[in-house]
Amino acid sequence: MSGSRGELPPLVDYLVVPAVNLTLAFLVSGLVVLAIGENPLAAVRIMLSGALGYAEGVGYTLYYTTNFIFTGLAVAVAFHAGLFNIGAEGQATMAGLGVAIVCLAFDGAPWWLVLPFAVAAAALFGAGWAFLPGWAQARRGSHIVITTIMFNFIAATVMVYLLVNVIGKPGAMNPETRTFAEATRLPPIRDMLLPLGFDVGTSPLNPSFFLAVLAALLVWLLVWHSRLGYEMRVFGFNPTAAVYAGIDPARVVMVAMMISGALAGLLAVNEVMGVQNRLLLEFVGGAGFVGIAVALMGRAHPLGIVLAAFLFGVLYQGGAELSFERPKISRDMVVVIQGLVILFAGALEHLARPPLVRLFRRTRRTAEA
């Protein structure tokens, strides 16, 4: 995540470059929509009104945003240590097992009593699943990208076995646990907002949103205001210099991966305890992979990640409304649009940077002349 960084003013680097990439993604998406005979401007209007035009749509948007904040933070923490954690999907999957075990064990207890244990279980299971790839890289030199990808498949396989043979609901057609008691489920936020005059309808938004915002604040403190965060950034920027400065590379790699896995695991609190109220297969729904684009677009900074996660929340909720309003724009087409945003925010992240760098160099020379 470096490239020619440092040659642009921070405001341009953190705001203008992502805005240009996003504009390019929407322009290409508009051409795709135009190619199937639909009006791109009308499609944008439907997406925005579906995501932000009414209270229930906003609730759904923030619900998606919650998931993406967790996975974006997970990827970002690994980035700062020079690691590319592609395993957030598997780490969140295993964390769902931890949340389900806690909720089933405390079934019937009030949610506010169960929540701290569920959060701890999610973080522990996620961190535990990330520890093994971290250990393999730190002690055996395995490539973190390959091992985390493999662990995504292993997590899915383990979950199938457990739901079918061990903790699944007897007699159920689908591999899933029994539903938690109503008192143990996270309450929807509408119950808290209605007395204040706000109604977000039947959206699944729940207190996990506040947990995600708190996680972003804690990551900011960790990365920029702690010794461990400093060691992670030094190691990520220059591993050789980090070793020369006395930083233990193996410790940094393993700790960073465990923190990353713990953050990814917190997604399970939102999904398993807050929305599904039981453990299902594939409840993560690809949010682990979207977290990579969120972290890239947010420049691995918690504030940027919150904003990027909100953007992807708008895309997900607005995309669902768009496919409903315009049958010619199918759900697959919406995925294509989301993929283009990910492409320009991720793989082509530096496409607009060189021209902007040249522009600012020319402007600086003109001002100095």
Side-chain angles (χ1 to χ4, degrees), residues 33-361:
V33 172
L34 199 61
I36 63 170
E38 289 285 350
N39 185 338
L41 295 179
V44 171
R45 181 183 57 78
I46 293 172
M47 286 188 74
L48 291 178
S49 63
L52 305 172
Y54 62 107
E56 188 172 359
V58 174
Y60 271 97
T61 299
L62 293 179
Y63 151 66
Y64 290 120
T65 301
T66 303
N67 286 342
F68 300 146
I69 289 176
F70 286 133
T71 55
L73 290 173
V75 176
V77 166
F79 272 156
H80 283 294
L83 304 168
F84 199 6
N85 179 17
I86 303 185
E89 192 84 1
Q91 291 144 20
T93 298
M94 295 308 294
L97 177 63
V99 174
I101 290 173
V102 168
C103 290
L104 291 172
F106 287 86
D107 208 16
W111 68 270
W112 50 266
L113 179 63
V114 179
L115 181 60
F117 296 98
V119 170
L124 283 174
F125 274 67
W129 201 247
F131 170 77
L132 292 173
W135 178 86
Q137 159 120 357
R139 300 297 187 191
R140 292 292 181 266
S142 303
H143 201 290
I144 199 75
V145 172
I146 296 173
T147 51
T148 49
I149 288 175
M150 292 302 297
F151 268 65
N152 285 339
F153 291 108
I154 296 172
T157 306
V158 169
M159 193 61 67
V160 170
Y161 174 80
L162 292 175
L163 285 175
V164 172
N165 299 293
V166 183
I167 59 173
K169 181 180 177 182
M173 295 296 292
N174 297 320
E176 61 185 34
T177 63
R178 63 178 171 81
T179 305
F180 310 143
E182 188 168 353
T184 307
R185 308 170 193 169
L186 282 180
I189 272 186
R190 68 172 180 272
D191 293 349
M192 305 175 187
L193 295 182
L194 271 178
L196 302 176
F198 298 99
D199 184 5
V200 292
T202 58
S203 68
L205 183 65
N206 60 72
S208 297
F209 174 74
F210 302 114
L211 179 64
V213 175
L214 176 62
L217 176 62
L218 293 177
V219 167
W220 177 71
L221 291 173
L222 167 72
V223 175
W224 281 278
H225 295 276
S226 75
R227 179 174 177 174
L228 175 61
Y230 176 76
E231 291 178 347
M232 288 166 50
R233 286 185 289 127
V234 171
F235 181 76
F237 186 75
N238 191 329
T240 304
V243 172
Y244 186 74
I247 296 173
D248 182 357
R251 172 178 166 272
V252 170
V253 168
M254 287 190 287
V255 171
M257 280 301 296
M258 290 177 68
I259 295 174
S260 177
L263 288 165
L266 293 178
L267 176 149
V269 178
N270 184 33
E271 284 293 335
V272 177
M273 189 177 178
V275 180
Q276 308 296 342
N277 301 314
R278 62 194 188 282
L279 182 58
L280 297 167
L281 278 179
E282 300 178 351
F283 70 89
V284 182
F289 300 116
V290 176
I292 298 170
V294 170
L296 286 169
M297 180 170 279
R299 294 292 188 271
H301 190 286
L303 178 59
I305 287 168
V306 170
L307 296 176
F310 180 72
L311 169 66
F312 276 87
V314 169
L315 288 175
Y316 265 64
Q317 170 57 18
E321 294 278 347
L322 180 60
S323 61
F324 180 77
E325 292 282 340
R326 292 285 192 273
K328 286 181 70 176
I329 305 177
S330 65
R331 184 63 190 163
D332 292 335
M333 283 290 301
V334 175
V335 173
V336 169
I337 295 172
Q338 293 164 352
L340 285 169
V341 174
I342 294 173
L343 177 68
F344 279 90
L348 302 179
E349 194 259 349
H350 295 292
L351 183 66
R353 185 178 296 274
L356 285 172
V357 169
R358 287 195 293 272
L359 175 64
F360 273 86
R361 281 178 181 165

Side-chain angles (χ1 to χ4, degrees), residues 4 7-9 12 16-17 20-21 24 348-363 365:
S4 55
E7 298 182 70
L8 292 172
V12 176
V16 176
V17 173
V20 170
N21 288 333
L24 292 173
L348 302 179
E349 194 259 349
H350 295 292
L351 183 66
R353 185 178 296 274
L356 285 172
V357 169
R358 287 195 293 272
L359 175 64
F360 273 86
R361 281 178 181 165
R362 195 177 304 122
T363 304
R365 282 197 295 268

